[in-house]
Amino acid sequence: DQQVKQNSPSLSVQEGRISILNCDYTNSMFDYFLWYKKYPAEGPTFLISISSIKDKNEDGRFTVFLNKSAKHLSLHIVPSQPGDSAVYFCAASDRDDKIIFGKGTRLHILP
Amino acid sequence: GAGVSQSPSNKVTEKGKDVELRCDPISGHTALYWYRQSLGQGLEFLIYFQGNSAPDKSGLPSDRFSAERTGGSVSTLTIQRTQQEDSAVYLCASSPVNPYNEQFFGPGTRLTVL
């Protein structure tokens, strides 16, 4: 039973355009959400997070949107750059417990 | 360096042998996690240590898997009688005492069971 779902295993986006990565969750107790980025042969690195009291958090080219009623969050990257090609993991936590990760979405930025 | 380190980086073993994987978390981090990523799969939670509390072992796939954390720092993940399906990248992460549980990952150990 997957509590955090990333339904798109891969996504290809033209360089300079917007990349939108989606994530759905089932546990209404989750109140903190994170995105991690992973390059091959490296561990995941933290990218951006959002708490449930917000519906948007922005950091440079990266923006995370949270829709609590739909139990959905998304990561927007604009403009997309070649170095953004990686696997992106969505994760969720109820703060006092472990973080649950999705299966990841592989993003390809096309030249 | 100040990051999470893991050893070995690669381990090839024969089916039926025992292996030990090591994780050195960031100094001062009270929480330590083990995950594994099998080919084409996401991050699968294995076990979670938080301070002196009893570890959360709910993700361990079988009783062949065990982990310990000595002195609240270094952790060892042990897999007994390895099977081919144990082949994966095993990732360790640590996090400080904060309400946001941001985790810092090590580079992982790639385990191949022949």
Side-chain angles (χ1 to χ4, degrees):
Chain A
D1 179 29
Q2 269 192 283
Q3 296 188 63
V4 178
K5 301 177 186 179
Q6 293 177 259
N7 292 320
S8 298
S10 68
L11 175 69
S12 294
V13 174
Q14 207 76 35
E15 182 180 354
R17 298 286 186 99
I18 183 170
S19 295
I20 300 176
L21 298 115
N22 291 304
C23 179
D24 297 290
Y25 62 96
T26 58
N27 188 340
S28 58
M29 297 301 294
F30 288 147
D31 62 359
Y32 194 68
F33 305 89
L34 310 94
W35 284 94
Y36 282 78
K37 177 179 179 178
K38 184 180 185 301
Y39 292 119
E42 294 183 11
T45 55
F46 170 77
L47 193 57
I48 193 169
S49 63
I50 188 168
S51 82
S52 59
I53 62 173
K54 292 184 161 186
D55 55 17
K56 176 183 174 182
N57 189 25
E58 190 171 354
D59 183 3
R61 297 185 298 114
F62 302 90
T63 303
V64 56
F65 294 92
L66 175 63
N67 182 334
K68 282 182 294 182
S69 61
K71 295 194 179 70
H72 177 84
L73 64 154
S74 60
L75 174 68
H76 293 210
I77 307 172
V78 56
S80 300
Q81 298 175 354
D84 296 332
S85 294
V87 176
Y88 289 80
F89 290 99
C90 171
S93 169
D94 62 3
R95 290 203 184 183
D96 295 325
D97 206 349
K98 59 185 177 286
I99 294 180
I100 305 296
F101 284 82
K103 290 191 174 227
T105 296
R106 184 176 298 279
L107 176 64
H108 300 272
I109 302 302
L110 306 172
Chain B
V4 178
S5 61
Q6 291 185 246
S7 61
S9 56
N10 279 286
K11 176 72 178 178
V12 180
T13 190
E14 292 179 349
K15 179 181 170 182
K17 295 283 181 72
D18 297 352
V19 295
E20 281 190 355
L21 312 179
R22 177 188 168 105
C23 172
D24 283 89
I26 293 173
S27 177
H29 281 193
T30 60
L32 187 147
Y33 309 77
W34 283 98
Y35 298 88
R36 74 176 175 183
Q37 187 177 19
S38 303
L39 190 63
Q41 299 297 312
L43 289 172
E44 177 188 2
F45 165 78
L46 296 177
I47 188 168
Y48 163 48
F49 297 89
Q50 174 59 280
N52 295 321
S53 303
D56 178 345
K57 304 179 182 179
S58 60
L60 294 178
S62 77
D63 58 8
R64 296 186 296 104
F65 288 72
S66 62
E68 62 177 24
R69 188 179 185 193
T70 53
S73 180
V74 171
S75 178
T76 303
L77 176 69
T78 302
I79 309 173
Q80 296 178 308
R81 305 181 303 282
T82 52
Q83 303 296 312
Q84 288 183 331
E85 61 263 29
D86 299 335
S87 296
V89 175
Y90 288 81
L91 289 157
C92 173
S94 69
S95 73
V97 179
N98 66 51
Y100 302 109
N101 284 331
E102 177 190 331
Q103 299 179 356
F104 297 82
F105 281 82
T109 294
R110 180 174 296 279
L111 175 66
T112 303
V113 182
L114 301 176

